[in-house]
Amino acid sequence: MTQINAETGARVRRVTIVDVAQHAGVSTASASKVLRNAYGVSEAMKQRVQASMDALGYRPHRPARGMRGRTFTLGLLVSDIENPFFSLIADGITSVVRSQGYELLISPGGYDAGSQNAVIDALIDHQMDALVLIGPVVTGADLERIAGEIPLVVVGRHSRSAALDSVSGDDELGSALVVDHLVALGHRRIAFVANQQDSLEPDRPESVRLAGFVEAMARHGLAESAMVVDSRWSLTGGHEAARVIAETAEAVTAVFAGADVTAFGIMSELWERGLRVPDAYSLAGYDNSRMTSIGPIDLTTVDQSGFEMGETAGRLALERIGGRTESRHVLLRPRLILRSTTRSVAAGG
Amino acid sequence: MTQINAETGARVRRVTIVDVAQHAGVSTASASKVLRNAYGVSEAMKQRVQASMDALGYRPHRPARGMRGRTFTLGLLVSDIENPFFSLIADGITSVVRSQGYELLISPGGYDAGSQNAVIDALIDHQMDALVLIGPVVTGADLERIAGEIPLVVVGRHSRSAALDSVSGDDELGSALVVDHLVALGHRRIAFVANQQDSLEPDRPESVRLAGFVEAMARHGLAESAMVVDSRWSLTGGHEAARVIAETAEAVTAVFAGADVTAFGIMSELWERGLRVPDAYSLAGYDNSRMTSIGPIDLTTVDQSGFEMGETAGRLALERIGGRTESRHVLLRPRLILRSTTRSVAAGG
DNA sequence: TTGAAAGCGCTAACAC
DNA sequence: GTGTTAGCGCTTTCAA
């Protein structure tokens, strides 16, 4: 693509490192060393080259850098860019890597393993220096393969792989916080809305939250009155779950939705039936996404501190790029956010 | 970065076009022609090379392609990845460009011109084949400069520049749809929540929606009873606007929030004051974002068909890459979505 | 400490 | 129709 200047009709040629070197009267090798802050350049040389770079408005060409060294770019896989939680993570990553000259490029990979794998490959083909994957649905074997090709940090999977790093919330604890809260309010018959998966990777948050729910209920001696509704963590999944729950013979008094978006679907379905939360039953979500706090919603939920997760993921990625090969697996502590959708069973919900 | 295979300890070397050529027993030039689907290759050659590519699992190295030709990658600037409207646009773009072998990389540029310009430069440095900018806040002069460096499509600014393409909703019409609807319901004193900007670029949707509101009110002979509240299009901006409106001597009966997120903030502020929509006043948003449809919200709003905008933007970008130099400026028709937050003034809201 | 030169993976002239 | 080769902008040995 040779771009033409709209006004003058002249071609706009990029300023290259050769231009900088000529302007400064040094070799390109020296200019490169200054650019990379490499070892073995005199202070005087550094000053001169830096001055030329500024004067010419030099900006290194990333693909060219990537052909030999680094692109100074991290790739981020998300399923869908509209998830506010992902946005927090992205901001967290950016906040720690930007100061090191790194930037972040994001690619939406959809919700199935096939398309996610394709997008991951594309990110690798772009010569990213490292990859951060948020809640990937690909298999553990896929992750191992990817980690063999590029430094890899996975967010939201409770991995124990030796080949990659992971950072996630303690979803088991998160579920326990919700159950403990509901039980303290007097609830006994509690439903959990599970996210049905095609491939059941045990380290996915869906699996861990479900396990945490089951275990917490058992701990309270409530294994018998625990109900698991298989659905999807989506708006429509929430609607469906609410319909299933409505048809249950023994009515539950509280529902733990597993994810905020599912809770929104449930609220919406109840609303259409003329029912209200927490009058119909108490309701809790998971994620503390932005809309949970607005008045008409005001949903009890679990906060995962996405920004901090992002910071951690960014730091881990930089360490990997820097040469670390032993794996790190970080678990962050979730917090229960109490709002008005959960209340004492005595109050009738 | 030389990656080490975790299991074997062997280096994983990429399959290059040289490997493909050797495997197929042809020159790299021929392999390249097959890859690019270029003119002047026999069917037999094509078959052989393609077979070798499949056999070796060849994936072209994008930076290397970009050094001579195209990277087959589009860059997308968004302010923040969590806006569901942006997600729709991204999906629309992807749907039209993927079939041409293109993919999309997204970068969040924040809300001020400085950081957006920096991110745009970074995207250019990555040798993207074209750029799509969603609602950029940079100046018109900046856009001209960028268009001189790379094929450019701007979404959401009513540009008339000869150097770039644009696609946006007809925001003037959108505002008119809302005002007509409210007036038909009997409302006279109507407030518009404006998004205060640092730099007042007249082609920004904020400006056009405001102008559309003012004009539509005048058309109905209601210039005197139109109220404009200066705030921000954000959750907190909505809260502030609601407080300002509450303190107004002559009470309005309807509020047009300018953006859904602002309407959410208003609903939330009212909720905290024990007031409900549309009892306090009728309320309309703009964007038809996902949460508008859920029961407890059910907000009257304006749909901008983001997916179609994305498709259009993708098509325009591909045409630019293909060589078109005359500019195209596309305006899409918005639709009013009637829900329960607006009702007849006679009904008391 | 500095510079010359090779080469990363690919494309595009140009020759055959 | 096919192959040879120079070169994109940068980094990295290796000499000087």
Side-chain angles (χ1 to χ4, degrees), chain B residues 56-345:
Chain B
L56 299 176
Y58 170 70
R59 280 161 26 202
H61 191 257
R62 302 230 178 203
R65 298 190 82 173
M67 301 233 30
R68 298 296 309 216
R70 301 176 182 172
T71 53
F72 292 92
T73 309
L74 300 181
L76 178 68
L77 173 88
V78 299
S79 53
D80 187 311
I81 64 168
E82 76 169 287
N83 190 318
F85 183 54
F86 300 165
S87 180
L88 272 180
I89 293 174
D91 289 347
I93 296 172
T94 303
S95 76
V96 303
V97 305
R98 205 193 287 273
S99 60
Q100 315 291 317
Y102 272 84
E103 49 159 303
L104 189 68
L105 253 23
I106 303 170
S107 196
Y111 292 90
D112 65 289
S115 69
Q116 286 196 359
N117 269 314
V119 168
I120 290 167
D121 283 348
L123 253 15
I124 293 173
D125 296 344
H126 270 280
Q127 186 81 337
M128 303 286 180
D129 292 339
L131 250 43
V132 178
L133 314 180
I134 304 187
V137 298
V138 304
T139 65
D142 282 330
L143 293 178
E144 298 286 325
R145 171 186 67 78
I146 296 158
E149 296 184 43
I150 190 170
L152 182 63
V153 180
V154 171
V155 175
R157 281 181 68 157
H158 299 230
S159 172
R160 293 168 152 221
S161 165
L164 51 90
D165 299 337
S166 73
V167 35
S168 48
D170 188 339
D171 293 291
E172 191 162 344
L173 173 60
S175 282
L177 291 174
V178 171
V179 171
D180 291 353
H181 166 60
L182 292 172
V183 170
L185 289 174
H187 296 279
R188 295 293 173 268
R189 288 203 57 79
I190 304 174
F192 178 82
V193 181
N195 187 36
Q196 226 172 2
Q197 304 166 232
D198 302 324
S199 61
L200 288 153
E201 298 288 324
D203 61 346
R204 305 221 62 231
E206 289 91 320
S207 313
V208 182
R209 282 181 208 168
L210 172 58
F213 168 76
V214 170
E215 191 180 306
M217 290 296 280
R219 178 162 46 76
H220 287 287
L222 298 172
E224 296 300 310
S225 54
M227 173 182 176
V228 173
V229 180
D230 266 329
S231 185
R232 290 267 174 193
W233 286 357
S234 65
L235 229 36
T236 53
H239 277 273
E240 283 163 24
R243 285 195 286 270
V244 171
I245 290 167
E247 289 160 9
T248 308
E250 304 160 88
V252 300
T253 62
V255 175
F256 174 20
D260 286 339
V261 65
T262 320
F264 297 152
I266 292 172
M267 287 180 100
S268 199
E269 177 69 25
L270 289 176
W271 188 274
E272 286 162 20
R273 292 164 175 249
L275 299 169
R276 298 290 175 270
V277 169
D279 299 336
Y281 41 73
S282 283
L283 180 64
Y286 206 111
D287 286 341
N288 194 27
S289 53
R290 190 146 317 176
M291 290 297 289
T292 54
S293 68
I294 85 160
I297 307 284
D298 204 39
L299 181 73
T300 292
T301 186
V302 177
D303 185 87
Q304 299 206 65
S305 49
F307 190 85
E308 196 185 340
M309 278 191 187
E311 288 179 311
T312 309
R315 205 170 298 120
L316 292 175
L318 290 181
E319 288 173 15
R320 280 268 175 194
I321 291 169
R324 173 168 59 72
T325 52
E326 329 83 71
S327 65
R328 295 277 147 78
H329 297 291
V330 178
L331 217 53
L332 294 177
R333 207 181 168 74
R335 276 182 320 131
L336 185 67
I337 308 291
L338 295 177
R339 298 217 182 84
S340 65
T341 55
T342 47
R343 74 165 176 221
S344 167
V345 71

Side-chain angles (χ1 to χ4, degrees), chain A residues 134-326:
Chain A
I134 305 187
V137 298
V138 304
T139 65
D142 282 330
L143 293 178
E144 298 286 326
R145 172 187 67 78
I146 297 159
E149 297 185 43
I150 191 170
L152 183 63
V153 180
V154 171
V155 175
R157 280 181 69 157
H158 299 231
S159 172
R160 294 169 151 220
S161 165
L164 50 91
D165 298 339
S166 71
V167 35
S168 47
D170 188 339
D171 294 291
E172 192 162 342
L173 173 60
S175 282
L177 291 174
V178 172
V179 170
D180 291 353
H181 166 60
L182 292 173
V183 170
L185 289 175
H187 295 279
R188 294 294 172 267
R189 288 204 58 80
I190 304 174
F192 178 81
V193 181
N195 187 35
Q196 226 173 3
Q197 305 165 233
D198 301 324
S199 60
L200 288 153
E201 298 289 325
D203 61 347
R204 305 221 62 231
E206 289 92 318
S207 312
V208 182
R209 282 180 208 168
L210 171 57
F213 168 76
V214 170
E215 190 181 307
M217 290 296 280
R219 178 162 46 79
H220 286 288
L222 298 173
E224 297 300 308
S225 55
M227 173 182 175
V228 173
V229 180
D230 266 330
S231 186
R232 289 268 173 194
W233 285 357
S234 65
L235 229 36
T236 53
H239 277 273
E240 283 164 24
R243 285 196 286 271
V244 171
I245 291 167
E247 288 160 10
T248 308
E250 304 160 88
V252 301
T253 62
V255 174
F256 174 19
D260 286 339
V261 64
T262 319
F264 297 152
I266 292 173
M267 288 180 101
S268 199
E269 177 70 25
L270 289 176
W271 188 274
E272 286 161 21
R273 291 165 176 249
L275 298 169
R276 299 291 174 268
V277 168
D279 298 335
Y281 42 74
S282 284
L283 180 65
Y286 206 110
D287 286 341
N288 194 25
S289 52
R290 191 146 316 177
M291 289 296 289
T292 54
S293 68
I294 86 161
I297 306 285
D298 205 40
L299 181 73
T300 292
T301 185
V302 177
D303 184 87
Q304 299 206 65
S305 50
F307 189 86
E308 196 185 339
M309 278 192 187
E311 288 180 311
T312 309
R315 205 170 299 119
L316 292 174
L318 291 180
E319 288 172 15
R320 279 267 175 194
I321 292 169
R324 174 168 58 71
T325 53
E326 329 83 72

